[in-house]
Amino acid sequence: MRTGWVRARGVAVAGLLLTASAATGCDDGGSDGAGERGGAIGGAFDPPKKAPSAPEAPGGGGGEGGGAAGGVVSGPPVKFLPVEREEPGPCPSGAADAYTDTPTGKTGQTSGTTSGGAASGGATEAGQSCLYVDPDGGMTVRRTESAKATFDTQYANGFIVTIGLAGADAARFGELTGKLAKEQPPRNRLAMVRGDKLLSAPSVASAIPGGKVQITGSFDRDEAEQLARDLGGG
């Protein structure tokens, strides 16, 4: 399977808001995911919004989680793929270019399987849905300039993940998010895929130029640090 400011359950970057959710993969689609796949993504320089006073980050450290420098991603590269449609329930076994999205952002199941029966409307008890992506409409990133997890002091809403893209990657990402921001849900979502794993699938509110991207989604520290590692930090 092939899978500003950004904000997702999972970053915020200037000029763009993107929301993400968790998922498990079908076919080549992946399983484990850090953070909610239905969060938002935005630019790191969005205008500040009114927010309550933020508490100290859990465990001290000035509100900063385990930061990680960027670099060449070991193993499969990260792909940013537009979501074409979303259907209730986990992905059917063998579905091509499809990833099961799990709202909790915890680890998911592979091959479209899931524990528990289907609930009304075809959705599972976990609220899973199947995201079908455009394998040729996105971009592949083999190197991030940075990938870091920090506590969200602006919104006091858990941890966020910030990544940096440079050069052609930054320019392409700006173009891609600009197109998605004009779409209606779920076609405004951007699936972040590595190998057979769906990392996050935030929604995009505006274009994110400049390569500074934040993913939000009320992550806890472990989820944010894992997502940062998956996106190329450490």
Side-chain angles (χ1 to χ4, degrees), residues 153-166:
T153 57
Q154 181 177 358
Y155 295 92
N157 191 29
F159 283 76
I160 62 177
V161 177
T162 304
I163 63 174
L165 303 175

Side-chain angles (χ1 to χ4, degrees), residues 4 6 14-16 139 165 167-182 190 204 206-213:
V6 176
L16 171 63
M139 59 182 288
L165 303 175
D169 286 339
R172 180 71 184 94
F173 192 79
E175 294 175 0
L176 178 58
T177 52
K179 291 179 180 178
L180 294 182
K182 299 175 183 178
L190 183 62
V204 180
S206 62
I208 304 173
K212 303 300 182 182
V213 181

Side-chain angles (χ1 to χ4, degrees), residues 67-73 142-148 162-164 228-229 231-234:
V72 177
V73 179
R142 291 179 172 76
R143 178 183 180 84
T144 56
E145 295 299 300
S146 61
K148 191 174 185 180
T162 304
I163 63 174
R229 286 192 292 271
L231 290 173

Side-chain angles (χ1 to χ4, degrees), residues 102-120:
T102 303
T104 60
K106 307 302 181 181
T107 54
Q109 304 293 323
T110 58
S111 301
T113 60
T114 180
S115 58
S120 60

Side-chain angles (χ1 to χ4, degrees), residues 59-121:
E64 188 168 306
V72 177
V73 179
S74 59
V78 176
K79 294 183 178 181
F80 296 91
L81 304 173
V83 172
E84 294 191 310
R85 71 182 193 276
E86 179 178 8
E87 297 182 356
C91 296
S93 179
D97 302 318
Y99 297 83
T100 298
D101 185 27
T102 303
T104 60
K106 307 302 181 181
T107 54
Q109 304 293 323
T110 58
S111 301
T113 60
T114 180
S115 58
S120 60

Side-chain angles (χ1 to χ4, degrees), residues 1-228:
M1 169 186 305
R2 303 174 211 168
T3 348
W5 206 313
V6 176
R7 188 171 185 81
R9 180 174 170 22
V11 176
V13 178
L16 171 63
L17 180 64
L18 179 99
T19 308
S21 70
T24 63
C26 297
D27 192 27
D28 286 324
S31 57
D32 299 343
E36 226 179 75
R37 298 292 186 274
I41 184 170
F45 308 104
D46 279 348
K49 296 181 177 64
K50 185 177 181 180
S53 299
E56 287 295 320
E64 188 168 306
V72 177
V73 179
S74 59
V78 176
K79 294 183 178 181
F80 296 91
L81 304 173
V83 172
E84 294 191 310
R85 71 182 193 276
E86 179 178 8
E87 297 182 356
C91 296
S93 179
D97 302 318
Y99 297 83
T100 298
D101 185 27
T102 303
T104 60
K106 307 302 181 181
T107 54
Q109 304 293 323
T110 58
S111 301
T113 60
T114 180
S115 58
S120 60
T124 64
E125 293 180 352
Q128 294 177 323
S129 63
C130 183
L131 302 181
Y132 290 85
V133 303
D134 178 359
D136 301 314
M139 59 182 288
T140 298
V141 173
R142 291 179 172 76
R143 178 183 180 84
T144 56
E145 295 299 300
S146 61
K148 191 174 185 180
T150 58
F151 186 72
D152 185 356
T153 57
Q154 181 177 358
Y155 295 92
N157 191 29
F159 283 76
I160 62 177
V161 177
T162 304
I163 63 174
L165 303 175
D169 286 339
R172 180 71 184 94
F173 192 79
E175 294 175 0
L176 178 58
T177 52
K179 291 179 180 178
L180 294 182
K182 299 175 183 178
E183 299 286 351
Q184 295 298 312
R187 293 175 63 89
N188 67 336
R189 295 179 67 179
L190 183 62
M192 300 178 182
V193 176
R194 184 178 181 191
D196 63 354
K197 180 164 68 172
L198 175 61
L199 306 178
S200 186
S203 62
V204 180
S206 62
I208 304 173
K212 303 300 182 182
V213 181
Q214 263 187 354
I215 303 170
T216 65
S218 302
F219 294 116
D220 63 29
R221 182 191 291 269
D222 290 342
E223 291 170 337
E225 291 181 348
Q226 181 61 57
L227 180 56

